[in-house]
Amino acid sequence: MAILEAVARAPRGLTLTDLARTLDAPVSSVQQLANGLVAVGYLTMANRRYELGPGPFALTMGHDWSSVAPMSHQLIEELARELGCAIVVGVLVGDNLMYFDEAGNDPAIEYYAKTRSRRPILRSSGGKRLLAGLPDDELQRRLRELSETHPTAEIDAFLQQLPDIRRTGLAFGDALPGILAVAAGVPGRDGRLAAALVAAGESAAMAERLEDVGAVLLDRVKNL
């Protein structure tokens, strides 16, 4: 908690040395704890500085996530009615995708959104879309970390899909049994992708219309 509080008070983040000095603790101990917080998404690390990650926000923001990306719950509900399927919004939290807003009538998707459950990043359309939006150096680092806990076949499958995801702006997945999904990226205030906008429905109903549904998602994101 002291690490999180210290980083939260630092607008530009803290280096490992800064953290150790602030906590009056050994560098090795602080590094181990801080890296653990990075792994679960409560901190991020860029340019050797620790900053708050999406984890703490995702647990508390509910439908009010305007601080992450400029999309309202009302728009999500409108999309669910228009497309006739479930719409969810998720963010990367560590090595997983966490849903934190939803609309539609799919009980399984509603459960994952309301319980803030984490979904496998490489088996979810939203996770793959957000991974594909990372700069190349950060993407390579994340894939190296994922390779320690994920089958090689999953990494290879994502790499095969990566060029198409970046070209079209859409990622596809079937993380839940009998459900197909398509995801578009939602840019945050700094221009980088901050969240994934996902449309999901029963495989039989979605199989022939995934690309059309994806086109609608892209249009809404473009006009935010």
Side-chain angles (χ1 to χ4, degrees), residues 21 24 38 43 57 73 80 98 102 126 155 175 197 207 211 216:
R21 185 182 301 115
D24 191 22
V38 171
L43 292 179
F57 302 102
H73 180 67
M98 181 183 288
E102 57 81 30
I155 304 288
L197 178 64
E211 292 189 4
V216 174

Side-chain angles (χ1 to χ4, degrees), residues 1 6 40 42 51-52 81 84 89 96-97 110 116 124 130 190 206 221:
M1 288 304 300
V40 295
Y42 282 73
E51 299 179 356
L52 277 184
R81 288 193 297 268
V89 179
N96 298 275
L97 185 76
E110 182 179 10
R116 303 292 191 269
S124 63
L130 293 177
D190 61 359
M206 294 289 285
V221 169

Side-chain angles (χ1 to χ4, degrees), residues 78-103:
E78 291 173 356
L79 277 170
R81 288 193 297 268
E82 177 184 348
L83 295 172
C85 60
I87 302 294
V88 290
V89 179
V91 296
L92 286 184
V93 179
D95 292 339
N96 298 275
L97 185 76
M98 181 183 288
Y99 298 135
F100 62 91
D101 199 359
E102 57 81 30

